[in-house]
């Protein structure tokens, strides 16, 4: 009995005009993710089918679970679309199964097939009843739901359903640049943006020697967790030391964070142009800290016209933490090593900064050449899920 993985697309099937583009993007991603397995992948307008070797199934499932654009998948038995063949397969399958109640649900996408879905439901239900003792039909709460999909050449029988990662296939949107700190929020923001189909590069601002190598390793490990949903991830490391020192030397302490974040946004915009990204993504959440009040956000955002995606902006911290645990970044994020934001936190950061004052503070030092210098010295690491980078954990 031959099995295949039957993939349902979900949300993308509603995008009529883009349908082929979405399916092809998903197909490429699945191909890439399964490139180390001996599989054959087929696609049509509503399903994708993967032929596999039994011994690889668990590992393949693990890979599929992080592919966005998969709504649901099933491990299905495949048979020719022919009522006798379907009947024979069903008899041999239920013979090995243990259940008291069942329901048959037929979906017939091959409209030329001789029987209607309802007729087939009754017919196959009768076949099961006749070939197994002490069982009955329960349409509301069956022990086993027997699904039968009748398609043009092949039909599929399955009893299981695995939830996919959802969202849109990665690559169905242009690139975004994620501001990745070592904290809890930004990896979650990156995950959510990727789930909308946005491939990401990550950008980490470090201030060596004020920040440690461990802090950098933390960000590498977080990128590695995100790489699970991509092929690999470029992590751009920005040497922010000089700019930060100049800010703290020249600007009013209460405005240091505001100015620092305006500098980060300026650099992000330039990097986005360099790496063909159309949006900045970060883990800001309204009201969480002084630099994330709406007033602060508007003063900080003023330096760029580029869209800034803030996927967790309206989430409670506990909701963000739940997601961080789900994507396995939480334990890394809570490691104690400080990043450049935490090292320089002033006692009383301004909660409602004025744009005018922020601009005045910035006039106190010549930051443009410093930004150019930073951009000339970006250190990029290509992070892959499978590779080991540090023994941080
Ligand atoms: P997180 O938990 O993600 O660190 P946070 O609540 O600590 O967020 P902030 O430190 O104010 O908040 O940072 C807000 C956002 O700015 C972060 O989510 C991240 O996207 C970005 N950011 C902050 N510091 C850095 C950094 N050193 N490098 C890159 N991005 C940063
Ligand atoms: Mg942080």
């Amino acid at each position: 009995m031959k099995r295949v993985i039957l993939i349902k697309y979900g949300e993308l099937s509603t995008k009529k005009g883009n349908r082929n583009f979405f399916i092809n993007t998903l197909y490429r991603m699945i191909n890439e993710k399964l490139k180390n397995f001996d599989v054959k992948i087929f696609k049509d307008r509503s399903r994708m089918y993967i032929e596999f070797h039994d011994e690889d199934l668990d590992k393949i499932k693990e890979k599929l679970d992080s592919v966005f654009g998969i709504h649901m998948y099933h491990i299905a038995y495949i048979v020719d679309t022919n009522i006798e063949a379907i009947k024979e397969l069903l008899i041999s399958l239920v013979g090995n199964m243990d259940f008291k109640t069942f329901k048959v649900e037929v979906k017939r996408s091959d409209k030329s097939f001789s029987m209607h879905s309802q007729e087939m439901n009754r017919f196959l239900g009768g076949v099961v009843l006749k070939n197994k003792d002490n069982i009955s039909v329960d349409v509301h709460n069956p022990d086993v739901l027997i699904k039968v999909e009748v398609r043009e050449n092949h039909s599929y029988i399955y009893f299981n359903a695995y939830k996919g990662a959802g969202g849109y296939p990665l690559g169905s949107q242009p690139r975004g640049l994620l501001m990745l700190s070592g904290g809890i929020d930004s990896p979650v923001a990156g995950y959510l943006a990727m789930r909308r189909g946005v491939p990401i590069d990550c950008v980490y601002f470090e201030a060596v020697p004020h920040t440690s190598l461990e802090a950098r390793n933390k960000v590498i490990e977080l990128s590695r967790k995100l790489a699970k949903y991509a092929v690999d991830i470029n992590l751009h490391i920005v040497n922010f030391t000089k700019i930060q020192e100049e800010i703290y030397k020249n600007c009013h302490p209460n405005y240091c964070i505001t100015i620092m974040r305006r500098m980060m946004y300026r650099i992000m915009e330039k990097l986005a142009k360099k790496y063909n990204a159309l949006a900045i993504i970060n883990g800001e959440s309204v009201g969480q800290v002084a630099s994330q009040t709406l007033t602060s956000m508007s003063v900080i955002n003023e330096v760029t016209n580029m869209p800034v995606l803030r996927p967790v902006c309206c989430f409670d911290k506990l909701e963000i933490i739940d997601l961080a645990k789900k994507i396995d970044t939480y334990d890394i994020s809570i490691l104690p090593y400080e990043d450049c934001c935490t090292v320089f936190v002033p006692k009383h950061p301004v909660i409602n900064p004025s744009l005018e004052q922020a601009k005045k503070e910035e006039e106190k030092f010549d930051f443009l050449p410093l930004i150019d210098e930073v951009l000339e010295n970006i250190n990029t690491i290509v992070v892959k899920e499978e590779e080991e980078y540090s023994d941080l954990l």
Side-chain angles (χ1 to χ4, degrees):
M1 284 181 284
K2 193 171 147 195
R3 295 188 298 173
V4 294
I5 299 171
L6 186 83
I7 292 176
K8 292 181 182 164
Y9 307 143
E11 221 181 324
L12 58 149
S13 55
T14 60
K15 299 275 174 293
K16 287 224 162 48
N18 283 349
R19 201 185 169 98
N20 281 341
F21 169 68
F22 275 76
I23 293 171
N24 290 336
T25 308
L26 179 63
Y27 180 78
R28 271 201 307 278
M29 193 66 196
I30 292 179
N31 247 309
E32 179 64 40
K33 280 292 186 187
L34 300 185
K35 69 176 179 217
N36 294 329
F37 297 93
D38 180 22
V39 290
K40 285 206 185 77
I41 310 173
F42 307 92
K43 60 182 157 71
D44 63 30
R45 282 178 55 75
S46 54
R47 299 279 185 270
M48 219 170 273
Y49 312 87
I50 304 175
E51 289 181 10
F52 60 92
H53 295 290
D54 281 352
E55 65 271 21
D56 296 332
L57 182 58
D58 287 344
K59 285 198 176 118
I60 290 175
K61 274 169 66 187
E62 209 176 288
K63 291 281 178 198
L64 291 180
D65 286 339
S66 54
V67 175
F68 295 124
I70 297 178
H71 169 66
M72 187 80 90
Y73 65 92
H74 309 278
I75 315 299
Y77 292 89
I78 179 171
V79 63
D80 286 345
T81 292
N82 150 343
I83 192 66
E84 272 309 305
I86 295 173
K87 178 182 147 185
E88 289 309 315
L89 175 62
L90 188 58
I91 292 171
S92 57
L93 288 176
V94 295
N96 298 324
M97 290 167 62
D98 193 21
F99 60 89
K100 289 270 173 286
T101 59
F102 75 99
K103 175 188 178 183
V104 178
E105 232 176 62
V106 176
K107 191 178 156 80
R108 191 188 58 131
S109 70
D110 176 12
K111 300 296 176 201
S112 67
F113 192 67
S114 55
M115 272 190 201
H116 293 285
S117 304
Q118 277 310 328
E119 277 175 79
M120 269 193 92
N121 276 339
R122 276 195 301 274
F123 174 73
L124 293 176
V127 165
V128 176
L129 284 170
K130 216 179 290 165
N131 285 278
K132 205 165 168 69
D133 297 331
N134 300 323
I135 56 166
S136 60
V137 173
D138 180 348
V139 291
H140 299 296
N141 192 20
D143 294 343
V144 180
L145 178 60
I146 303 172
K147 293 256 210 180
V148 182
E149 284 197 27
V150 180
R151 301 191 157 263
E152 212 170 314
N153 297 315
H154 294 108
S155 294
Y156 304 86
I157 301 179
Y158 52 87
F159 315 94
N160 51 39
Y162 301 94
K163 203 166 178 292
Y168 296 133
L170 196 76
S172 56
Q173 294 289 332
R175 187 163 298 278
L177 270 197
L178 172 69
M179 301 171 71
L180 184 63
S181 66
I184 295 168
D185 305 329
S186 46
V188 172
Y191 163 80
L192 290 172
M194 289 166 99
R195 209 172 66 172
R196 290 291 90 189
V198 180
I200 58 170
D201 277 14
C202 298
V203 179
Y204 169 55
F205 293 81
E206 70 175 5
V208 175
H210 311 293
T211 60
S212 61
L213 192 61
E214 282 88 349
R216 177 197 279 206
N217 283 341
K218 224 175 121 170
V219 175
I220 294 174
E221 287 302 318
L222 290 171
S223 306
R224 195 156 82 117
K225 292 290 178 191
L226 293 177
K228 179 175 169 188
Y229 304 94
V231 178
D232 46 36
I233 281 194
N234 292 325
L235 170 63
H236 309 294
I237 298 173
V238 175
N239 182 346
F240 204 45
T241 311
K242 243 194 209 166
I243 294 184
Q244 233 173 359
E245 285 174 352
E246 286 300 309
I247 293 172
Y248 283 84
K249 206 160 70 196
N250 295 293
C251 304
H252 189 285
N254 293 359
Y255 267 77
C256 282
I257 295 274
T258 311
I259 306 306
M260 183 189 80
R261 298 196 63 79
R262 281 168 63 91
M263 296 300 162
M264 282 183 171
Y265 271 47
R266 287 186 174 103
I267 294 168
M268 287 302 292
E269 184 185 83
K270 294 220 154 65
L271 288 176
K273 296 218 165 94
K274 180 168 171 187
Y275 300 119
N276 290 324
L278 291 191
I280 296 168
I281 302 155
N282 67 36
E284 290 174 343
S285 176
V286 177
Q288 206 184 74
V289 288
S291 62
Q292 293 169 27
T293 62
L294 276 190
T295 320
S296 279
M297 281 181 177
S298 74
V299 170
I300 292 162
N301 211 150
E302 191 264 345
V303 300
T304 178
N305 288 322
M306 183 163 269
V308 179
L309 308 186
R310 300 176 175 89
V312 301
C313 71
C314 296
F315 286 15
D316 287 348
K317 192 75 187 187
L318 287 178
E319 294 168 326
I320 302 174
I321 288 174
D322 279 349
L323 272 172
K325 286 182 176 164
K326 183 179 143 187
I327 63 170
D328 209 20
T329 53
Y330 183 74
D331 289 340
I332 303 169
S333 292
I334 58 172
L335 291 171
Y337 316 111
E338 298 184 314
D339 75 9
C340 66
C341 290
T342 33
V343 170
F344 289 94
V345 175
K347 278 213 180 68
H348 304 289
V350 58
I351 289 171
N352 289 308
S354 93
L355 180 58
E356 203 190 340
Q357 188 63 35
K359 285 181 172 168
K360 269 193 198 142
E361 295 297 327
E362 282 175 352
E363 277 164 17
K364 294 179 181 170
F365 70 107
D366 191 9
F367 60 83
L368 286 176
L370 296 179
I371 288 184
D372 287 342
E373 195 182 321
V374 155
L375 291 168
E376 275 159 28
N377 292 295
I378 302 289
N379 175 8
T380 299
I381 305 177
V382 182
V383 181
K384 293 184 192 305
E385 185 198 352
E386 289 89 5
E387 253 158 56
E388 293 290 327
Y389 295 89
S390 67
D391 50 4
L392 201 62
L393 289 176

